[in-house]
Amino acid sequence: SDLGLTAALITATIMESLYDTPTAQYWVYQTWFFYGLLGTLGWLIFAVAMSRLPWQKRHLPFLCAHLGILLLLYGSWLTLKFGVDGSLQVAEGRTESAVEITDPLLLVSEGGMTDAGTTHTVPIPWMPPNATFKPITLPEYGLTVDQYLSHAESKVTFLPAKENGELAAPALHVKLAGGPNAPPFMRVGQEAWLWGLDANWNHQQVGPAILAMAPGPDALPATGKGPEARFRLDPKHSRLVVSIQNSDGKTHEQAFPYKEPKDLIGLVIKTGWKFDATLTVLDWIPRAKSDVTFEPARIQYGASAPPSAIRLHAGNSTLWLGLGDRATMDIPAGPNEKARHFTIGYFYRRVVLPFGIRLGKFSIDRYQGTMSPREFSSVVDVDGGKDGEIKARTISMNEPLQYGGFTLYQ
C-alpha cells in the first residue's frame, strides 16, 4: 500500500508540473485506484491500532498519531462527498450568494428555461485533452453529445439564411490593402468579416481605418473623424452602398448595383486614403446568419487554456456550445408531428449559499517601488445568515472568513 501510494503521488506530482492540476486529478487523484489506496491505508492503520488491544497508557502517543491519520482520511472523504469548492465573484457594492463550481452541466428545457421544474441537467465531466470521450445520449430528447473538447476556441463563419424567419443581416468579407508605395504591411493587407446583426462584428478596426456594416438600409453614423468605410445594403435598388470618410472627416458615397451577390465578389473600391488604399470585396452575403463551431485551442494546459466546448447532435442538426453559452435548437419529431423546440445551455454548476456576501472594498497591496502585487484583501459584510450579521470583516490571503459551516478565502 505504501509503495503504491508513493508511486501514485510521484506520478501525480510530475504530471501536475508538466501539465496542470486538473489533469493530475483526472489521471491520479480522482481515480478508483487512488481511492482504493487511501482506503487500504486507512484500513491498515485501523488494524495496526486494534492489534495493540488491550491498550495501555504507554500506547497513548501511538494511538493519537493513528487516530489523527484516520481523521484526516475521514475529513477528506467528507469534503469530497459533501464539500462545496468553487468561486464567488462579487463586485464592489454588490451582494452575491451564488458559488460557481467547476462541474460543467448541460441544461435542457423544452421551450424556455423560465420554469425551473422543466429544466433537466446532465453532468458533463471534465476530461483532459488525451482522454477518450464516450458520447452521452439523452433519449428522451433525441439528443446526443457526440464531441467534447477540453480546451476550445470558437470559429465563426457566415452562411446564407434560407428561411425568412431566421435572424439575418448582410455580411461582407473585405480586404484593406495599400498601393505600390505603401509600407510592406499595408501592401500585404488585412482582412475582416463584417456582419450587421452583432455588435462584435458590425464594427472592425482594420489597420488605420474602421470598417462597419449596417444591419439594415439606413446609413450608420460616423464613430470619429478618422478614416472609415461604412457599408449598407439598399435592397430596393439591389445595390451595396459604401460611405468613405477620410482623415479630415469628409465623406463621399459610392453605390455598386448587382443582380446576384457573386457580381460584387472581387470588386475593388478606391478609398482616397493615404498610400492609394483600396477595399476588395472577397465575399458578400446579403442575408447571412452566423455559424459557430469550435476547434482545439492552441493552448491545451495551464491556467491560460480556454474552457471546454461540446457538440450536440439531433437528427440532421448539430449545435456547438462553449462553456457559458446558451442556444435554441429545433429537434425533429415524428412524421406528422411538429419539431420540438428546446433551449439548451452549457454552464458551470451553481450552488446558492444560505447567506449573502456584500463586498465593500477590494484592495491590492504592492511591493514597494513595483507594480507586483503583494497581497489581496476584501472588506465584506455577511447578511441573512443564521449566525447573525457580520460587518466590515477583512478577508486576506492568510485570514479567511468562517461562517455558517463555510470557509471563504481571498
Side-chain angles (χ1 to χ4, degrees), residues 167-183:
L167 291 175
L172 180 70
H173 189 196
V174 65
K175 178 179 180 179
L176 173 64
N181 298 323

Side-chain angles (χ1 to χ4, degrees), residues 249-295:
K250 296 180 180 180
T251 302
H252 68 278
E253 195 169 85
Q254 303 179 46
F256 303 95
Y258 64 92
K259 292 182 180 180
E260 298 290 337
K262 63 181 181 180
D263 296 341
L264 296 183
I265 297 178
L267 173 69
V268 178
I269 305 170
K270 295 183 178 181
T271 64
W273 298 335
K274 292 181 179 180
F275 307 116
D276 298 324
T278 59
L279 291 165
T280 303
V281 176
L282 303 177
D283 201 357
W284 158 242
I285 307 173
R287 292 191 70 254
K289 63 179 182 179
S290 64
D291 182 56
V292 181
T293 59
F294 285 83
E295 55 189 22

Side-chain angles (χ1 to χ4, degrees), residues 138-325:
L138 288 73
E140 64 270 33
Y141 302 117
L143 271 174
T144 301
V145 181
D146 65 351
Q147 193 167 344
Y148 174 90
L149 299 177
S150 309
H151 303 288
E153 293 176 345
S154 62
K155 181 181 179 182
V156 181
T157 56
F158 297 98
L159 305 174
K162 298 179 180 179
E163 301 177 9
N164 290 331
E166 289 182 305
L167 291 175
L172 180 70
H173 189 196
V174 65
K175 178 179 180 179
L176 173 64
N181 298 323
F185 74 92
M186 280 290 292
R187 291 199 299 270
V188 172
Q190 291 180 266
E191 300 178 13
W193 269 100
L194 305 172
W195 186 47
L197 200 61
D198 191 294
N200 295 319
W201 288 94
N202 58 18
H203 284 76
Q204 300 284 345
Q205 180 78 46
V206 181
I210 291 178
L211 308 183
M213 170 60 74
D218 297 328
L220 289 171
T223 60
K225 294 184 178 181
E228 294 187 12
R230 301 184 294 275
F231 296 87
R232 62 184 176 89
L233 174 64
D234 181 4
K236 185 177 180 180
H237 300 96
S238 296
R239 60 181 188 169
L240 177 67
V241 181
V242 56
S243 299
I244 305 290
Q245 176 179 291
N246 61 24
S247 56
D248 297 327
K250 296 180 180 180
T251 302
H252 68 278
E253 195 169 85
Q254 303 179 46
F256 303 95
Y258 64 92
K259 292 182 180 180
E260 298 290 337
K262 63 181 181 180
D263 296 341
L264 296 183
I265 297 178
L267 173 69
V268 178
I269 305 170
K270 295 183 178 181
T271 64
W273 298 335
K274 292 181 179 180
F275 307 116
D276 298 324
T278 59
L279 291 165
T280 303
V281 176
L282 303 177
D283 201 357
W284 158 242
I285 307 173
R287 292 191 70 254
K289 63 179 182 179
S290 64
D291 182 56
V292 181
T293 59
F294 285 83
E295 55 189 22
R298 289 165 292 180
I299 301 175
Q300 285 291 311
Y301 296 101
S304 57
S308 60
I310 57 174
R311 189 179 72 173
L312 295 101
H313 178 82
N316 296 323
S317 302
T318 58
L319 173 68
W320 276 99
L321 289 176
L323 194 61
D325 288 348

